């Protein structure tokens, strides 16, 4: 990333977008980071730099903003996540796939655009080895979201090979952030739990107590994303999507960690349809290709993330 970069973040009001726009504007200055979202926004996104209401399915409107601002980096974060996608099958497929084509087609025409597109651990399915899931392995996703991410990975690789599109991608685990709530994912419980621990002292979890999933604290995820986007072209051997590991834990383990800070915290369990989704995903990830190709190294674990989450969420509540 250089000071001459102009960046467009599509889906900027979502969980990753909120943190990413903040970090990019800190680094590049507000004017160089164009935030866009399908829904109008007030506050930080509008006040700290350019903001557009933009539907990623409207290719002409997206191309117009890219041309107007001479954008050379696009982060396409607009998507429907796993739980919502099960309820809205066709619109999830449409947004997740056609949105990707919008950007890949523009990048194929203009060449000088580098694209980031997020994939997910949802590309794996019940037939994938669940412990230290390898980069290259059986991939038979059983969710609409997972199928769209797997197809997206194939298209990214294809556009890179066929049209030279510089597209880069990470298979994110569940992401945890204090800046923004996730929306419609299976791993959302690991964010909600912190808010409700502080606000109510209790939480009802929609997954079973022993459901192990790969997770990552947002500062690590943002660092990984920017590191990948700054990596040398020649070092990147994978143009589908890189496995990325942070930590793995169960609802019971995160609750125990929160209890160290809030001793009266209680948790009960009412698993719903999201249990089946979680059961189809890996428990831990082998990210040795990311380590080797672009130097990835995770920093936060469950304990340091919990300290940091509670610190920031308490501060937010004091200033509210
Ligand atoms: C979800 O739960 O759908 C997402 C994901 C793992 O991609 N957080």
């Amino acid at each position: 990333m250089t000071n001459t970069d102009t960046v467009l973040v599509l889906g900027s009001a979502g969980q990753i977008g909120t943190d990413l726009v903040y970090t990019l504007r800190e680094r590049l200055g507000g004017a160089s980071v164009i935030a866009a979202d399908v829904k109008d926004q007030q506050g930080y996104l509008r006040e700290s730099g350019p903001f557009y209401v933009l539907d990623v399915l409207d290719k002409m409107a997206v191309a117009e903003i890219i041309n107007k601002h001479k954008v050379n980096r696009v982060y396409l974060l607009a998507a429907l996540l796993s739980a919502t996608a099960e309820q809205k099958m066709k619109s999830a497929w449409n947004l997740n796939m056609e949105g990707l084509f919008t950007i890949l087609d523009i990048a194929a025409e203009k060449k000088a655009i580098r694209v980031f597109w997020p994939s997910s651990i949802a590309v794996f399915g019940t037939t994938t080895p669940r412990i230290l899931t390898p980069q290259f392995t059986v991939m038979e996703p059983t969710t609409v979201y997972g199928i769209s991410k797997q197809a997206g990975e194939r298209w990214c690789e294809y556009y890179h090979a066929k049209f030279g599109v510089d597209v880069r991608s990470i298979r994110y685990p569940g992401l945890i952030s204090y800046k923004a709530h996730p929306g419609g994912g299976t791993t959302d419980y690991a964010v909600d739990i912190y808010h409700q621990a502080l606000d109510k002292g209790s939480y009802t979890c929609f997954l079973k107590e022993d459901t192990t999933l790969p997770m990552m604290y947002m500062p690590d995820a943002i660092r990984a994303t920017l590191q990948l986007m700054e990596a040398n072209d020649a070092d990147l051997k994978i143009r589908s999507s890189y496995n990325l590991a942070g930590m793995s834990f169960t609802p019971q383990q995160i609750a125990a960690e929160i209890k160290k800070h809030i001793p009266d915290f209680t948790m009960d369990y009412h698993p719903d349809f999201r249990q089946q989704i979680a059961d189809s995903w890996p428990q831990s990830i082998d990210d040795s290709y990311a380590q080797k190709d672009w130097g990835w190294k995770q920093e936060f674990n469950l304990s340091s993330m919990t300290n940091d989450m509670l610190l920031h969420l308490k501060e937010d509540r004091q200033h509210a």
Side-chain angles (χ1 to χ4, degrees):
M1 192 163 50
T2 68
N3 286 339
T4 55
D5 284 341
T6 304
V7 179
L8 173 62
V9 181
L10 294 155
S12 61
Q15 195 198 13
I16 303 171
T18 303
D19 271 80
L20 186 67
V21 169
Y22 182 84
T23 307
L24 286 169
R25 283 185 174 167
E26 289 283 295
R27 289 196 191 181
L28 297 174
S32 301
V33 182
I34 295 109
D37 202 274
V38 72
K39 291 197 189 124
D40 201 1
Q41 303 294 317
Q42 304 303 323
Y44 180 80
L45 282 178
R46 265 194 184 278
E47 286 158 15
S48 60
F51 174 83
Y52 291 93
V53 175
L54 196 57
D55 182 351
V56 68
L57 299 176
D58 185 347
K59 186 180 165 193
M60 267 171 59
V62 175
E64 206 177 296
I65 301 295
I66 288 177
N67 290 334
K68 180 175 167 193
H69 290 274
K70 300 190 171 45
V71 167
N72 66 339
R73 299 279 184 272
V74 177
Y75 294 80
L76 169 56
L77 306 174
L80 289 190
L81 298 185
S82 57
T84 311
E86 290 306 296
Q87 321 286 353
K88 300 181 179 173
M89 198 171 84
K90 290 281 162 57
S91 43
W93 177 257
N94 191 38
L95 173 64
N96 294 2
M97 296 313 305
E98 293 303 326
L100 177 58
F101 281 127
T102 296
I103 298 305
L104 290 179
D105 285 335
I106 293 173
E109 282 156 25
K110 293 188 77 72
K111 299 294 179 212
I113 296 176
R114 182 173 294 175
V115 176
F116 179 83
W117 175 79
S119 185
S120 160
I121 54 164
V123 293
F124 302 115
T126 49
T127 50
T128 303
R130 297 189 71 199
I131 313 287
L132 285 177
T133 300
Q135 174 71 42
F136 301 106
T137 185
V138 181
M139 291 164 81
E140 295 183 317
T142 52
T143 62
V144 174
Y145 175 65
I147 296 168
S148 74
K149 288 295 178 188
Q150 192 198 28
E153 286 192 8
R154 298 290 90 226
W155 282 114
C156 286
E157 196 178 85
Y158 185 87
Y159 269 69
H160 178 258
K162 192 98 176 170
F163 307 116
V165 172
D166 186 359
V167 56
R168 301 166 181 214
S169 176
I170 284 173
R171 291 173 182 154
Y172 288 124
L175 297 178
I176 296 153
S177 162
Y178 59 86
K179 286 205 182 77
H181 280 275
T186 302
T187 57
D188 294 9
Y189 90 85
V191 179
D192 297 341
I193 190 172
Y194 287 107
H195 287 269
Q196 297 208 19
L198 287 171
D199 296 339
K200 294 192 194 156
S202 65
Y203 182 62
T204 299
C205 186
F206 56 76
L207 297 182
K208 286 195 276 188
E209 60 187 28
D210 58 351
T211 310
T212 304
L213 285 171
M215 301 278 187
M216 180 173 282
Y217 195 33
M218 192 61 90
D220 270 351
I222 297 296
R223 198 165 48 78
T225 306
L226 297 180
Q227 215 173 317
L228 175 62
M229 283 297 270
E230 285 157 26
N232 288 331
D233 207 49
D235 292 336
L236 301 181
K237 306 290 182 298
I238 293 171
R239 294 299 183 147
S240 51
S241 191
Y242 277 94
N243 272 11
L244 194 71
M247 57 192 106
S248 288
F249 56 78
T250 63
Q252 198 173 39
Q253 285 166 332
I254 191 174
E257 202 56 47
I258 290 173
K259 249 174 136 23
K260 291 182 189 165
H261 300 260
I262 307 171
D264 293 337
F265 175 64
T266 58
M267 171 110 141
D268 60 357
Y269 300 89
H270 285 287
D272 64 18
F273 72 99
R274 289 169 279 193
Q275 184 65 46
Q276 203 182 353
I277 301 177
D279 288 342
S280 75
W281 288 352
Q283 296 187 346
S284 59
I285 301 290
D286 173 358
D287 64 2
S288 44
Y289 281 84
Q291 293 177 34
K292 188 159 58 70
D293 288 2
W294 44 278
W296 164 244
K297 197 170 183 311
Q298 156 231 352
E299 276 175 10
F300 282 91
N301 60 24
L302 178 56
S303 161
S304 52
M305 174 179 77
T306 301
N307 281 333
D308 204 59
M309 276 294 281
L310 291 174
L311 189 84
H312 283 100
L313 292 177
K314 277 182 197 161
E315 266 174 24
D316 289 351
R317 279 156 178 72
Q318 274 157 13
H319 295 129

